[in-house]
Amino acid sequence: MSKQRVSRRQFLSYTLTGVGGFMAAGMLMPMVRFAVDPVLKADEGGDFIATKQKVADITDEPVRVDFTFKQKDAWYESEVTNTAWVYKDDAGKIVALSPTCKHLGCTVNWNTDKEHPGQFFCPCHYGRYEKNGQNIAGTPPLAPLDVYPFKEKDGFLYLGKAKPRKEA
Amino acid sequence: MKWTPQDIETYLNAKEYVDTAVIPLFSVSMGDDMKQSAAALEFINLLTGYLERQFTGRLILFPPFTYLNSKNEEVILSDLKDWEASLVKEEIHHIFYITSDIDWRDREKDLNGTLIWLPAIPLEHMNDSQKVAIIDSQVKQLLGLFTQKWHESE
């Protein structure tokens, strides 16, 4: 037994401070967590997904690049395969275009319309786009194709989330 | 367009551009054929899903027309003809049926729509990239059929 006896009053005040401290912390912690939550949230556009396309193999002819990622739809998680048309423009810069037609969302293909070679073509309503993705006036689409942001890592192409671009 | 509220809303706003329906036909069997029936469902589901992605803006992928295999053939056929009639009323003139059930080949002549019969490829033991490659090559062959039908009607 220690020499210093703890009085009943002291013992009660210690335990009450201790318990009270835990209770206060229990209330404050979630509040703080909620307050800083937007800061901790990952930037949604920041996810880059690896493709099998080697950057060195990209030419000035658009090629189809498929990439797969997991998508959560309510509680159902599924693998989604997206496609991009990738090529190098005249300046040697890589361009990755979304194949989704800006009209009603069909998949556009490169160079499949015999009458208009060297263009992206939508088979649904005969929409056409220039090689740079610019929609051709007089065809149904009203906006240019979306562009994927891209990154190069270990020689492979990584693609982000397709973004609509401003009217050129 | 898929049979989801968002896609259907797009359809209602852009009706004049959509003139095609894709209806999967599924036979449900019990007993020994049960597994085969399930394999056909997986195959047709993936295939029609991929097809829908190619032609989102011009076709609606309907919920599958499902029937019990043992049911009277006449009844199945007349049910489907009811679907057909209501689609034509909605200005949907191109109807494609996609199925793995061989019995439809005999009933094809009674249908106005185009029947696409494909033998089901068992996908259960494949990994995802193999599945995608197979479905991709199958759908590529179908794309021509669709564009051809659209060209004919113009």
Side-chain angles (χ1 to χ4, degrees):
Chain A
M1 260 301 179
S2 98
K3 291 255 170 66
Q4 267 191 315
R5 299 281 305 253
V6 178
S7 73
R8 183 187 303 243
R9 184 187 294 268
Q10 269 176 320
F11 173 77
L12 276 175
S13 73
Y14 288 158
T15 38
L16 271 178
T17 320
V19 171
F22 272 116
M23 278 163 70
M27 274 160 64
L28 283 172
M29 281 288 284
M31 286 188 201
V32 173
R33 183 69 182 76
F34 281 131
V36 300
D37 186 64
V39 183
L40 297 175
K41 206 170 188 175
D43 183 10
E44 271 188 32
D47 285 351
F48 281 85
I49 295 142
T51 66
K52 291 196 175 93
Q53 179 68 36
K54 282 198 180 101
V55 172
D57 293 347
I58 298 171
T59 62
D60 61 354
E61 183 72 12
V63 284
R64 207 182 117 171
V65 176
D66 289 333
F67 59 105
T68 305
F69 59 95
K70 289 206 164 69
Q71 187 183 307
K72 220 169 165 191
D73 184 14
W75 54 83
Y76 179 71
E77 200 176 64
S78 57
E79 291 226 321
V80 181
T81 302
N82 263 1
T83 307
W85 287 103
V86 180
Y87 67 93
K88 273 183 184 146
D89 66 9
D90 295 338
K93 216 175 149 294
I94 293 171
V95 180
L97 294 173
S98 156
T100 308
C101 182
K102 297 301 278 183
H103 176 223
L104 284 170
C106 296
T107 304
V108 300
N109 287 304
W110 170 249
N111 219 355
T112 45
D113 187 17
K114 286 181 194 79
E115 282 157 42
H116 304 278
Q119 289 178 350
F120 289 103
F121 176 64
C122 175
C124 290
H125 305 101
Y126 317 117
R128 285 181 284 125
Y129 301 85
E130 303 280 3
K131 189 177 174 185
N132 63 13
Q134 182 62 45
N135 53 310
I136 290 169
T139 64
L142 296 169
L145 291 173
D146 289 354
V147 184
Y148 288 105
F150 66 89
K151 255 197 321 208
E152 189 188 336
K153 203 170 155 191
D154 306 326
F156 286 95
L157 186 73
Y158 282 62
L159 295 175
K161 207 174 186 180
K163 285 194 184 83
R165 57 175 150 186
K166 306 214 167 54
E167 202 67 41
Chain B
M1 284 149 206
K2 293 184 281 288
W3 200 258
T4 59
Q6 295 96 320
D7 282 10
I8 294 303
E9 185 157 340
T10 320
Y11 162 69
L12 294 174
N13 291 328
K15 263 187 170 175
E16 67 273 27
Y17 289 108
V18 184
D19 62 356
T20 307
V22 172
I23 306 177
L25 309 176
F26 283 141
S27 93
V28 172
S29 3
M30 292 292 163
D32 293 343
D33 296 335
M34 218 164 152
K35 193 166 173 200
Q36 210 183 343
S37 160
L41 185 133
E42 186 188 20
F43 174 70
I44 297 291
N45 253 346
L46 278 175
L47 188 103
T48 48
Y50 195 81
L51 189 69
E52 189 272 338
R53 270 184 52 178
Q54 300 299 312
F55 289 139
T56 309
R58 190 152 177 184
L59 61 80
I60 306 180
L61 175 58
F62 271 75
F65 177 79
T66 313
Y67 51 92
L68 207 57
N69 200 318
S70 50
K71 205 173 168 185
N72 183 326
E73 281 200 25
E74 305 274 297
V75 182
I76 298 174
L77 191 65
S78 76
D79 275 358
L80 189 59
K81 295 213 63 118
D82 288 345
W83 282 46
E84 216 165 49
S86 55
L87 285 174
V88 170
K89 234 183 269 167
E90 284 295 313
E91 298 286 304
I92 293 176
H93 297 297
H94 302 285
I95 304 172
F96 290 87
Y97 303 108
I98 301 190
T99 187
S100 290
D101 181 357
I102 194 152
D103 292 346
W104 284 100
R105 309 244 332 203
D106 304 330
R107 306 173 197 145
E108 185 180 3
K109 54 185 183 304
D110 300 318
L111 294 169
N112 290 322
T114 312
L115 180 80
I116 301 172
W117 176 78
L118 299 157
I121 298 169
L123 301 165
E124 47 188 334
H125 300 302
M126 290 181 198
N127 64 33
D128 281 351
S129 60
Q130 283 172 315
K131 275 188 205 173
V132 170
I134 284 188
I135 298 291
D136 187 58
S137 70
Q138 293 262 319
V139 169
K140 274 225 179 82
Q141 296 171 46
L142 292 181
L143 296 184
L145 188 70
F146 278 78
T147 44
Q148 192 195 335
K149 283 272 172 200
W150 289 336
H151 268 294
E152 273 171 20
S153 65
E154 269 154 27

